[in-house]
Amino acid sequence: DQQVKQNSPSLSVQEGRISILNCDYTNSMFDYFLWYKKYPAEGPTFLISISSIKDKNEDGRFTVFLNKSAKHLSLHIVPSQPGDSAVYFCAASEDFGNEKLTFGTGTRLTIIP
Amino acid sequence: NAGVTQTPKFQVLKTGQSMTLQCAQDMNHEYMSWYRQDPGMGLRLIHYSVGAGITDQGEVPNGYNVSRSTTEDFPLRLLSAAPSQTSVYFCASRAPGETQYFGPGTRLLVL
């Protein structure tokens, strides 16, 4: 039972355009959400997070939107750059600081120069 | 700081063999975790530790043992490897109030 789902295994976006990566979850106890970025042969690195008390969090070119009623979050990257090509994982936990993270299956983003 | 280091990078085992995946961090982080990543699946938590001497099970603990005798080290032991344990293993650490830092991973193949 996949509690965190990323239904698009891959996404290609032109350089300079907006990349939108989506994530859905089923567990209503999830209260804290994170996005990680992963390059080949490296571990995931933290990108941005959002608590359920907010519906938007922004950090430079990265913005995460949370729709709790729809159990949906999205990561927007604008403008997209070639270095953004990576696999992006959505993750969720029941509260901030909870070691038990549940990860999605990942979306491979390719930025086309 | 070296961050989170994992050894070996790659290992081939035969079914039934045992081995220990090493994980060390030099950031004095209290919390450490082990995940596995399989094709088509997200990272799944195996075991975690909230401090030296304290460990707990994650989502997929069967077939794995851990111990945390020091703050720096968190080894993962496979007592009798099975083909189902073929995976990429990631170790992570963090301080309270911070997000996790992941190591580069160990790729394990069990024949």
Side-chain angles (χ1 to χ4, degrees):
Chain A
D1 176 32
Q2 194 73 23
Q3 297 186 65
V4 177
K5 300 177 187 177
Q6 295 177 255
N7 292 319
S8 298
S10 63
L11 176 68
S12 295
V13 174
Q14 208 79 32
E15 181 180 358
R17 306 294 289 266
I18 184 170
S19 295
I20 300 176
L21 294 92
N22 294 304
C23 178
D24 297 292
Y25 62 96
T26 58
N27 188 342
S28 54
M29 297 297 291
F30 287 150
D31 209 43
Y32 185 67
F33 305 89
L34 309 92
W35 284 94
Y36 286 84
K37 176 180 180 179
K38 185 183 180 304
Y39 292 119
E42 294 184 12
T45 55
F46 169 74
L47 199 53
I48 193 169
S49 64
I50 189 165
S51 162
S52 63
I53 62 172
K54 301 174 81 171
D55 55 16
K56 176 182 173 182
N57 189 26
E58 202 169 342
D59 184 2
R61 297 184 299 114
F62 303 92
T63 303
V64 56
F65 295 92
L66 175 63
N67 183 334
K68 277 203 76 177
S69 60
K71 294 192 178 68
H72 176 83
L73 61 155
S74 60
L75 174 68
H76 292 210
I77 306 172
V78 56
S80 300
Q81 299 175 353
D84 297 330
S85 293
V87 177
Y88 289 79
F89 291 98
C90 169
S93 67
E94 293 189 6
D95 45 55
F96 174 73
N98 192 320
E99 283 307 287
K100 296 186 177 181
L101 287 180
T102 301
F103 282 80
T105 52
T107 296
R108 181 177 302 277
L109 175 66
T110 302
I111 305 302
I112 304 163
Chain B
N1 281 359
V4 179
T5 57
Q6 292 183 239
T7 55
K9 283 187 169 53
F10 180 69
Q11 182 73 47
V12 180
L13 288 180
K14 292 182 181 177
T15 297
Q17 285 185 315
S18 63
M19 82 160 293
T20 299
L21 280 64
Q22 301 291 346
C23 174
Q25 51 92 9
D26 61 357
M27 298 173 282
N28 203 33
H29 286 169
E30 289 182 44
Y31 303 135
M32 296 186 75
S33 304
W34 276 102
Y35 291 85
R36 59 179 287 175
Q37 184 192 8
D38 300 300
M41 303 190 74
L43 281 74
R44 292 182 293 168
L45 182 65
I46 305 171
H47 285 285
Y48 65 98
S49 169
V50 297
I54 307 169
T55 63
D56 205 346
Q57 296 182 350
E59 181 186 352
V60 288
N62 292 342
Y64 307 95
N65 280 352
V66 291
S67 59
R68 184 97 180 270
S69 55
T70 67
T71 300
E72 294 78 20
D73 300 297
F74 191 40
L76 180 72
R77 296 183 187 85
L78 284 71
L79 297 178
S80 179
S84 61
Q85 294 178 303
T86 292
S87 189
V88 181
Y89 291 85
F90 291 101
C91 178
S93 75
R94 70 176 185 91
E98 294 186 0
T99 54
Q100 291 180 325
Y101 290 84
F102 282 85
T106 292
R107 189 174 295 271
L108 177 66
L109 175 61
V110 183
L111 301 174

